Amino acid sequence: MVGRDPGEPHRAATSLELFFDLCFVIAVAQASGSLRGALTDGNYATGSLRFALVFFTIWWAWMNFTWFASAYDPDDVPYRLTVFAQITGSLVLAAGVRRAFEDGDLRVITLGYVVLRTALAGLWLRAALSDPARRRTTLRFATGVTVCQLGWVGLLFLPATLRLPGIVVMIVAELSVPVWAQSAGMTPWHPHHIAERYELFTLIVLGESAAAATVAVRNAFDRHHATGSLYAVAAGGLLMAYAMWWLYFARPAHTLLATTHQAHRRRFPWAYGHYLIFASATAEGAGLAAYADHVTRHSGASSPAAGAAVSVPAAVFLITLWAVHLRPHQKSAAERIPYPVAAVGILLAAWSPAPALAAGALLAVLVAVVTVRRR
């Protein structure tokens, strides 16, 4: 398992990586469905916090394997079996999402996460044996991942009052492992491959968001409630999904990764910033579904609060996408100003009679402005 050539031509995602992503869809769907339930019940703060923590485990496990596979991917039998072990861990993690949301029970989700990450630590050890030039870096990765898994298991034995601070500490530790490991030397990674992997996961979360909203609106139509409002939710949801896709793919990521973002200080913010992009895109579907429940009078939430479930994820997606993915391409204030202005307008849409339609229309106008300006 020697490092792959970062300049390798025609490097693309493998079928095993695509299979890995598809299995992660289950965990993403579970997180989205649980967030919808919390929002529908009016548990905005608790539901959002639990969603953020659960989605972190999903995103972090996916991202770590993605960067490892860009550096080392022999595609032999031991490698495939280890990836299968990670997929198994992702399915166990998905099975524990609802328990984590409803009861705060972290045992199943921790088990799945430990299986995922332990398998990855094994891959890092194999890389250490096969790649002497980068042994110090790969051993740091293996050590950091293993220590963090011991920490997650230890959290299960803490009192409930100490669990949240412990989780925050563990998240900081997890985020620090790549920074610490790469300070001993950089592992090889392919800009086109990483860009494609992130683009594919963006499609996954956007698709899951559209699917969650579609199912909720369909169920509401089946109950024959508030048909006009549901049409507005459906139209707004479609406009948002189309605009979010358009804006993300307006600029190719590999042009940054192959040039200005080779340095740690730019690459890490880009890679880590995608957590908010992925999480907000997933939360958008849950927010649309919760708002559909609201307009059919199955929710006790106030209208602005229900509207915020739609507008806040869209605004977070837009402002994060602009900050980490689009702003480095922009040279003038005229190019930059429309994004924060649109984000403020989307937040204010929570107070409109049709927040989904208003937010979707604002995103569509932004797409039109950006497209015309570029042409």
Side-chain angles (χ1 to χ4, degrees), residues 13-366:
T14 66
S15 59
L16 183 59
E17 289 175 314
L18 298 178
F19 184 39
F20 182 85
D21 287 359
L22 287 175
C23 291
F24 264 75
V25 171
I26 301 172
V28 171
Q30 289 295 314
S32 177
S34 298
L35 177 60
R36 172 199 173 181
L39 295 176
T40 301
D41 294 337
N43 299 323
Y44 289 92
T46 303
S48 299
L49 177 60
R50 289 181 173 177
F51 171 79
L53 297 176
V54 167
F55 196 86
F56 172 82
T57 63
I58 298 169
W59 163 76
W60 189 244
W62 173 87
M63 192 183 80
N64 275 248
F65 170 72
T66 293
W67 285 86
F68 177 89
S70 192
Y72 302 97
D73 182 5
D75 197 31
D76 56 14
V77 171
Y79 178 81
R80 291 182 176 188
L81 293 177
T82 310
V83 175
F84 288 163
Q86 293 186 72
I87 291 173
T88 303
S90 75
L91 298 176
V92 175
L93 187 153
V97 167
R98 191 168 296 276
R99 287 187 178 188
F101 258 88
E102 294 177 355
D103 308 319
D105 185 353
L106 302 178
R107 289 175 295 179
V108 176
I109 201 170
T110 299
L111 174 61
Y113 188 66
V114 169
V115 171
L116 263 165
R117 303 287 282 152
T118 302
L120 181 64
L123 287 175
W124 280 117
L125 286 174
R126 184 182 172 195
L129 293 173
S130 306
D131 192 1
R134 302 181 182 91
R135 183 163 295 161
R136 190 179 175 196
T137 301
T138 52
L139 285 176
R140 283 192 179 191
F141 268 114
T143 301
V145 169
T146 303
V147 170
C148 285
Q149 300 331 294
L150 294 174
W152 286 111
V153 173
L155 281 181
L156 298 177
F157 300 96
L158 287 180
T161 54
L162 297 177
R163 192 163 291 171
L164 181 58
I167 290 174
V168 173
V169 170
M170 289 309 307
I171 288 175
V172 172
E174 289 275 16
L175 294 173
S176 301
V177 169
V179 179
W180 172 61
Q182 296 279 14
S183 66
M186 188 183 299
T187 52
W189 54 278
H190 198 288
H192 282 266
H193 177 251
I194 289 294
E196 183 186 16
R197 300 290 291 118
Y198 273 70
E199 290 166 356
L200 290 171
F201 203 77
T202 301
L203 293 176
I204 285 175
V205 294
L206 288 176
E208 173 53 37
S209 179
T214 300
V215 171
V217 172
R218 183 202 64 196
N219 291 339
F221 273 124
D222 290 343
R223 294 192 295 268
H224 303 290
H225 287 296
T227 304
S229 299
L230 286 175
Y231 278 125
V233 173
L238 281 175
L239 282 175
M240 280 191 281
Y242 296 156
M244 290 160 78
W245 174 88
W246 194 297
L247 291 170
Y248 186 89
F249 290 93
R251 294 283 189 174
H254 70 266
T255 57
L256 294 177
L257 295 174
T259 54
T260 59
H261 285 45
Q262 288 281 319
H264 291 328
R265 62 185 179 85
R266 291 197 172 186
R267 188 174 75 255
F268 278 117
W270 183 90
Y272 286 6
H274 269 75
Y275 164 74
L276 289 176
I277 294 175
F278 296 153
S280 58
T282 303
E284 186 60 51
L288 288 167
Y291 193 81
D293 291 336
H294 170 76
V295 299
T296 56
R297 303 298 184 267
H298 288 279
S299 171
S302 64
S303 293
V310 174
S311 64
V312 170
V316 171
F317 177 90
L318 177 59
I319 206 67
T320 310
L321 174 65
W322 170 69
V324 305
H325 191 63
L326 298 176
R327 192 173 182 273
H329 292 281
Q330 298 167 348
K331 305 301 182 183
S332 66
E335 291 179 285
R336 296 168 180 166
I337 287 175
Y339 294 89
V341 170
V344 172
I346 289 169
L347 287 174
L348 295 176
W351 281 267
S352 71
L357 187 58
L362 284 169
L363 282 172
V365 169
L366 176 62

